[in-house]
């Protein structure tokens, strides 16, 4: 039996085993014994994962895929199927550290990234395939056109590396866009604890009017009086590094 790719689930099944192995080899397999694969489909990544990990779990909502995986990968027992990745409570379902991997459905890619960030303390590493544009934005550096809200919000918690591009012709059905594979490694940055909300507001407001200097873009947030001469206000959001945004948010909080 084969699994039919379902458009409403954003399914595009990778058919190239070499690329699948390269994605699986992107994980370090250090500091954790569990790996969760999101959207395994017909198991092209699963096949290699089962040879490498102490325990592989899969998050899948397509019942046809689940039946296929149970038949073809008997190592996957009932407890290894955890349902909808966006709905599970990761620290409750998994004890200890957990890496995440997947050929992620493009229609929920940002939600997947933010779910990983929300579980930063549990997830030390992620390797995944996204729409190329999303992968590039996630890994983007300051002063580039791709650098924006997604870049800063993810890189505040993870160091992101763009690994390689995947072309349309190695999928069934082929997507209309190229894909990009990235690696995210939890970083040791500190300083955001307790100030995440203000940090998010500053980042979003700054990039929502990215052509304006921050002095104008952040007016909606009522800049504290003592911050109005801050040097960062004379430049645009895209010129600030992630560390700059963190320190600026903390100075802002101290001034209120």
């Amino acid at each position: 039996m084969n699994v039919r790719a379902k458009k409403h689930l954003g399914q595009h099944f990778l058919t190239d085993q070499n690329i699948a192995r390269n994605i699986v080899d992107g994980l370090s397999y250090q500091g954790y014994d569990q790996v969760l694969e999101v959207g395994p489909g017909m198991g092209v990544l699963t096949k290699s994962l089962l040879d490498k990990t102490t325990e592989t779990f899969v998050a899948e909502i397509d019942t046809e895929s689940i039946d296929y995986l149970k038949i073809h990968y008997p190592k996957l027992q009932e407890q290894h199927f955890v349902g909808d990745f966006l709905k599970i409570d990761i620290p409750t379902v998994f004890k200890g550290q957990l890496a995440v991997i997947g050929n992620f459905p493009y229609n929920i890619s940002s939600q997947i990234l933010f779910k990983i960030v929300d579980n930063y303390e549990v997830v030390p590493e992620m390797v995944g395939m996204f729409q190329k544009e999303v992968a590039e934005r996630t890994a983007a550096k300051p002063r580039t056109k791709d650098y924006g809200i997604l870049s800063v919000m993810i890189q505040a918690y993870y160091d992101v590396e763009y690994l390689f591009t995947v072309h349309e012709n190695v999928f069934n059905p082929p997507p209309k866009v190229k894909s990009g594979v990235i690696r995210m490694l939890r970083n040791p940055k500190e300083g955001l604890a307790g100030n995440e909300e203000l940090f998010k507001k500053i980042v979003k407001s700054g990039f929502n009017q990215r052509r304006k200097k921050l002095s104008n873009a952040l007016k909606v947030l009522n800049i504290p009086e003592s911050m109005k001469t801050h040097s960062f206000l004379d430049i645009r959001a895209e010129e600030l590094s992630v560390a700059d945004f963190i320190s600026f948010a903390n100075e802002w909080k101290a001034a209120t």
Side-chain angles (χ1 to χ4, degrees):
M1 66 177 278
N2 281 332
V3 180
R4 292 173 294 107
K6 298 163 187 68
K7 190 173 182 181
H8 72 281
L9 294 178
Q11 290 176 329
H12 296 276
F13 298 137
L14 180 66
T15 58
D16 189 308
Q17 195 64 56
N18 287 327
I19 292 172
R21 277 193 292 268
N22 288 339
I23 295 171
V24 170
D25 287 345
L27 287 174
S28 69
Y29 304 96
Q30 294 178 359
Y32 53 85
D33 295 319
Q34 308 168 103
V35 175
L36 172 61
E37 182 185 358
V38 178
M42 292 173 64
V44 67
L45 299 184
T46 319
K47 181 179 180 181
S48 297
L49 278 174
L50 288 168
D51 293 333
K52 285 204 164 224
T53 63
T54 303
E55 200 154 23
T56 299
F57 295 86
V58 294
E60 180 60 78
I61 59 174
D62 181 3
T63 54
E64 199 176 12
S65 286
I66 292 168
D67 290 342
Y68 180 93
L69 293 166
K70 285 179 177 177
I71 292 168
H72 289 84
Y73 301 100
K75 280 187 184 178
L76 292 174
Q77 300 297 304
E78 197 63 44
Q79 70 269 21
H80 296 121
F81 291 85
V82 299
D84 187 337
F85 178 70
L86 295 179
K87 292 181 179 177
I88 61 172
D89 182 32
I90 290 177
T92 300
V93 175
F94 300 98
K95 305 306 176 190
Q97 299 290 286
L98 172 80
V100 176
I101 193 169
N103 170 20
F104 299 116
Y106 295 158
N107 55 345
I108 56 169
S109 54
S110 293
Q111 293 166 266
I112 287 169
L113 286 165
F114 287 120
K115 172 91 172 188
I116 290 168
V117 166
D118 287 343
N119 291 277
Y120 165 81
E121 293 180 350
V122 182
V123 182
E125 187 173 15
M126 187 284 297
V127 171
M129 180 155 53
F130 299 87
Q131 183 175 330
K132 186 171 184 279
E133 178 188 334
V134 173
E136 288 174 336
R137 281 166 46 211
T138 307
K141 301 302 180 192
R143 299 181 182 85
T144 64
K145 65 178 178 62
D146 292 322
Y147 186 67
I149 294 171
L150 187 64
S151 323
V152 177
M153 299 297 288
I154 302 300
Q155 291 174 37
Y157 300 89
Y158 290 88
D159 293 327
V160 184
E161 180 183 0
Y162 189 98
L163 297 180
F164 56 90
T165 299
V166 182
H167 294 273
E168 303 93 324
N169 60 353
V170 295
F171 294 91
N172 181 29
K176 294 179 180 177
V177 293
K178 289 180 171 50
S179 304
V181 178
I182 59 173
R183 177 195 294 123
M184 291 172 21
L185 289 172
R186 186 169 59 199
N187 64 43
K189 284 195 189 80
E190 296 177 356
L192 254 188
N195 201 23
E196 288 86 357
E197 285 309 308
L198 177 58
F199 170 76
K200 288 177 186 176
K201 287 178 182 177
I202 290 171
V203 172
K204 288 178 180 177
S205 297
F207 281 106
N208 281 340
Q209 301 187 68
R210 65 183 297 146
R211 295 190 178 187
K212 292 186 177 181
K213 290 181 179 179
L214 286 172
S215 55
N216 288 322
L218 299 181
K219 272 183 182 175
V220 293
L221 298 180
N222 297 318
I223 302 166
E225 197 62 38
S226 63
M227 294 284 289
K228 287 183 176 177
T229 57
H230 199 291
S231 60
F232 288 169
L233 294 176
D234 284 331
I235 58 178
R236 298 185 179 99
E238 64 190 32
E239 297 178 74
L240 266 62
S241 68
V242 176
D244 288 338
F245 272 110
I246 292 172
S247 65
F248 186 60
N250 288 336
E251 287 181 63
W252 185 305
K253 185 181 181 182
T256 57

